[in-house]
Amino acid sequence: MEYKDVISLLEMPPSANDVAVRGWVRSFRSNRFIAINDGSTIKNVQCVIDFENFDEALIKRITVGSAVEVSGNLVESQGQGQKVEIKVSTVAVLGDANPEEVKLTILSPKRHSLETLREQAHLRIRTNTFGAVMRLRSKLSFAVHEYFQKNGYYYMNTPIITGSDAEGAGEMFRVSTLDPKNPPLSDDGSVDYGEDFFGKESNLTVSGQLAAETYAMGLSKVYTFGPTFRAENSNTSRHLAEFWMIEPEVAFCDLDGNMDLAEDFIKYVINYAITNCGDDLEFLEKRLFDEEKTKPQAERSELSLRDKLDFVVNNNFKRVSYTEAIDILKNSKPNKKKKFKYPIDAWGADLQSEHERFLVEKHFKCPVILFDYPADIKAFYMRLNEDEKTVRAMDVLFPGIGEIVGGSQREERYDVLKQKIADMGIDQKELWWYLELRKFGTAKHSGFGLGFERLVQFVSGMGNIRDVIPYPRSPKNAEF
Ligand code: 4AD
Ligand code: MG
């Protein structure tokens, strides 16, 4: 017999034909109604069993969490909430789940907090919430590829182990095969990485950008979508030590083109989710609504999850220079009333997430693209403006998330870049190849990085980034 996914089975007419399905038991009521979920959809298929006709020992093994295989007639459902159900003719338990032990896990029918689910990350995919989030994540990653492939971009893979610090921020995980207890030492007593596997210091990548730039200078339009690692000690709901980043890089493109690309791309993938993830978004919207009911009125969102997504897709992002933003922030109520943890008193201040969220959520009430930041607070590779104070940087800021995209027009002028690298105290020897790009057919080019988990967070309405990646990595946390 052909096995069907629950998702396709639920679309079939009640033909009374024989069907078969495999999945995990979500509930078994009155010894008669087995709800089976196989992860293909948030919906369960109801299987009605005449327990009187089955061996009692077998019926006892049909417990929450067990893996089962069921066959029977697909008939019109008598119950509410589904069109069809299976009238069971055979059932086999493929994998038992001891009910006593199930009681101690998140598989038990009672509601669990997201924190508890994180402690059992190997089982949490069996819950409605994580099933919905992870299906959404998968669809969104497909949409990312679809957008770029449809628009003439080539997908490239950048190295995961690298010798350079693409952001110049020093937040890297070291990669080494040296014996930490007895490393080879140089004459001055420091560790001799010349003896290490790569013959030099190496680390996990913080961004594929520099390598993507080299390929944009040959393929014109490229993008990466890969894992990225940051050893920043940020225990927040928006930071991971291991996350996935999407980085397009485009030759002959300036900052305006880059902003257009970011906005068009984000709208495309969100729209894809709206169109293709209806059932999961409906569930996640209700989950968010229930979660917000526990908060004080002032902290609740005015829009439902799907209204928020529609709003982003249907409205222009507001483009504001850093200088304008500082004026707005300086004169804002929370700044005057000393409500910001980091008060804004002068041009040049780095923006914290409280400031970004004020601009997006309170002031403009829509996604915002900030551009032309002070050179001093941004990375070495960003193109210097005529004022010699600001760089052609842009950040896309989202409600509830803060920064979702960071990008820039790149410094394509050899001398200016070389000077910048020197001024920032970065070792030029590490970047010889990057500088060389500016010697042979240099051209203006731009790109950005979008943190995939922040996107999934926004679309799913999940409050914590650790709940949108299967196995989150954060400070003091690499279980599973
Ligand atoms: O702003 P960032 O650091 O920019 C870059 O890495 C550039 N090289 C990108 C480029 O121009 N090609 O990071 C880009 C985005 C951020 O806007 C944020 O969405 C995400 O990556 N991000 C993180 N997401 C989760 N956890 C972290 N620790 C993150 N750090 C950055
Ligand atoms: Mg950034």
Side-chain angles (χ1 to χ4, degrees):
M1 191 169 319
E2 197 196 343
Y3 288 93
K4 294 274 181 206
D5 292 344
V6 172
I7 191 168
S8 31
L9 208 144
L10 293 178
E11 290 302 318
M12 288 166 63
S15 57
N17 281 348
D18 264 354
V19 292
V21 69
R22 290 183 280 221
W24 294 270
V25 174
R26 280 292 172 87
S27 65
F28 187 19
R29 282 185 297 121
S30 319
N31 261 1
R32 196 170 298 282
F33 304 104
I34 315 170
I36 296 177
N37 187 282
D38 68 352
S40 59
T41 160
I42 191 136
K43 293 179 181 151
N44 303 327
V45 58
Q46 169 155 286
C47 304
V48 185
I49 184 166
D50 287 329
F51 64 90
E52 300 87 345
N53 302 337
F54 287 81
D55 179 20
E56 206 185 316
L58 175 65
I59 294 288
K60 273 208 173 121
R61 289 175 58 208
I62 304 172
T63 59
V64 172
S66 58
V68 294
E69 184 174 277
V70 164
S71 72
N73 291 342
L74 191 69
V75 297
E76 196 173 327
S77 176
Q78 304 304 308
Q80 280 189 337
Q82 69 262 325
K83 282 187 293 199
V84 291
E85 63 189 21
I86 299 177
K87 199 170 167 317
V88 178
S89 47
T90 72
V91 58
V93 175
L94 306 176
D96 294 274
N98 179 342
E100 290 311 309
E101 283 192 58
V102 164
K103 275 191 201 138
L104 302 174
T105 74
I106 58 170
L107 296 178
S108 72
K110 74 170 197 261
R111 271 178 181 268
H112 300 276
S113 71
L114 294 169
E115 287 79 6
T116 308
L117 299 185
R118 255 173 249 152
E119 286 163 15
Q120 296 180 34
H122 61 305
L123 294 176
R124 67 180 181 168
I125 191 59
R126 302 257 201 108
T127 65
N128 281 332
T129 298
F130 283 89
V133 170
M134 294 309 158
R135 279 186 296 271
L136 182 66
R137 186 181 163 108
S138 169
K139 295 280 184 194
L140 280 169
S141 53
F142 179 76
V144 167
H145 286 290
E146 188 176 80
Y147 177 84
F148 288 118
Q149 297 288 335
K150 273 188 179 169
N151 287 290
Y153 288 72
Y154 289 106
Y155 176 46
M156 72 171 292
N157 304 114
T158 51
I160 296 194
I161 301 174
T162 131
S164 46
D165 178 1
E167 289 301 296
E171 291 165 334
M172 298 175 298
F173 290 100
R174 184 185 299 289
V175 174
S176 172
T177 54
L178 295 179
D179 178 359
K181 288 199 203 91
N182 187 24
L185 299 179
S186 313
D187 293 343
D188 65 0
S190 62
V191 175
D192 181 7
Y193 288 104
E195 296 281 307
D196 206 347
F197 189 90
F198 296 108
K200 60 180 286 193
E201 281 190 77
S202 53
N203 52 273
L204 296 178
T205 186
V206 295
S207 159
Q209 178 195 320
L210 305 191
E213 281 186 55
T214 65
Y215 268 49
M217 298 316 272
L219 296 177
S220 285
K221 296 202 281 187
V222 297
Y223 71 103
T224 72
F225 186 176
T228 313
F229 308 86
R230 302 229 174 145
E232 51 194 342
N233 205 358
S234 304
N235 245 318
T236 80
S237 59
R238 279 175 280 278
H239 287 87
L240 290 165
E242 177 179 298
F243 63 99
W244 287 66
M245 185 147 61
I246 295 137
E247 296 183 277
E249 193 68 35
V250 190
F252 315 113
C253 176
D254 63 9
L255 192 70
D256 287 325
N258 203 24
M259 291 196 259
D260 292 343
L261 174 64
E263 183 166 345
D264 192 50
F265 164 62
I266 293 175
K267 286 177 170 171
Y268 182 90
V269 294
I270 294 181
N271 205 23
Y272 185 92
I274 295 172
T275 313
N276 292 282
C277 306
D279 289 344
D280 288 322
L281 286 177
E282 183 182 340
F283 172 84
L284 290 167
E285 176 170 290
K286 183 160 182 314
R287 189 210 69 84
L288 183 62
F289 182 77
D290 292 343
E291 184 182 87
E292 295 213 320
K293 272 198 295 206
T294 65
K295 292 186 188 163
Q297 190 80 44
E299 284 172 36
R300 292 183 208 167
S301 155
E302 290 158 26
L303 298 179
S304 73
L305 178 62
R306 280 175 299 179
D307 286 344
K308 249 193 305 198
L309 301 182
D310 286 336
F311 182 86
V312 167
V313 169
N314 296 321
N315 288 281
N316 291 334
F317 296 4
K318 179 86 187 160
R319 301 184 187 189
V320 186
S321 75
Y322 167 89
T323 304
E324 285 171 78
I326 283 290
D327 277 344
I328 294 167
L329 288 166
K330 242 186 357 205
N331 298 317
S332 69
K333 242 195 222 157
N335 200 49
K336 288 183 166 162
K337 291 192 167 167
K338 309 228 176 312
K339 289 274 163 63
F340 285 142
K341 197 170 155 215
Y342 299 90
I344 298 284
D345 39 31
W347 191 93
D350 201 355
L351 299 186
Q352 306 295 325
S353 110
E354 57 179 350
H355 309 127
E356 297 173 342
R357 293 186 64 172
F358 173 82
L359 290 169
V360 172
E361 289 159 30
K362 298 281 182 314
H363 190 82
F364 291 110
K365 296 187 193 300
C366 71
V368 171
I369 310 185
L370 286 190
F371 61 92
D372 285 352
Y373 281 75
D376 292 347
I377 59 171
K378 288 290 182 186
F380 66 92
Y381 50 71
M382 299 189 180
R383 193 180 200 279
L384 195 60
N385 276 312
E386 308 282 271
D387 63 11
E388 305 214 328
K389 269 181 10 195
T390 59
V391 284
R392 299 249 75 191
M394 65 144 187
D395 278 4
V396 181
L397 312 178
F398 256 47
I401 303 287
E403 179 190 334
I404 194 164
V405 161
S408 64
Q409 185 172 331
R410 319 306 189 188
E411 185 54 77
E412 85 285 14
R413 296 164 296 184
Y414 182 82
D415 293 334
V416 184
L417 181 62
K418 198 169 154 198
Q419 188 59 45
K420 192 72 170 292
I421 289 174
D423 289 349
M424 291 203 162
I426 299 165
D427 189 358
Q428 226 192 83
K429 287 203 299 281
E430 295 297 330
L431 289 172
W432 66 270
W433 52 275
Y434 186 69
L435 274 159
E436 241 180 35
L437 273 189
R438 276 77 181 161
K439 283 201 333 209
F440 304 105
T442 193
K444 85 178 157 208
H445 60 288
S446 302
F448 64 80
L450 174 132
F452 185 56
E453 283 73 21
R454 293 196 185 169
L455 173 74
V456 182
Q457 230 190 320
F458 179 75
V459 180
S460 65
M462 299 300 284
N464 195 313
I465 199 164
R466 296 173 198 193
D467 297 329
V468 301
I469 186 165
Y471 295 101
R473 300 282 176 259
S474 53
K476 305 274 180 293
N477 174 27
E479 187 69 35
F480 307 106

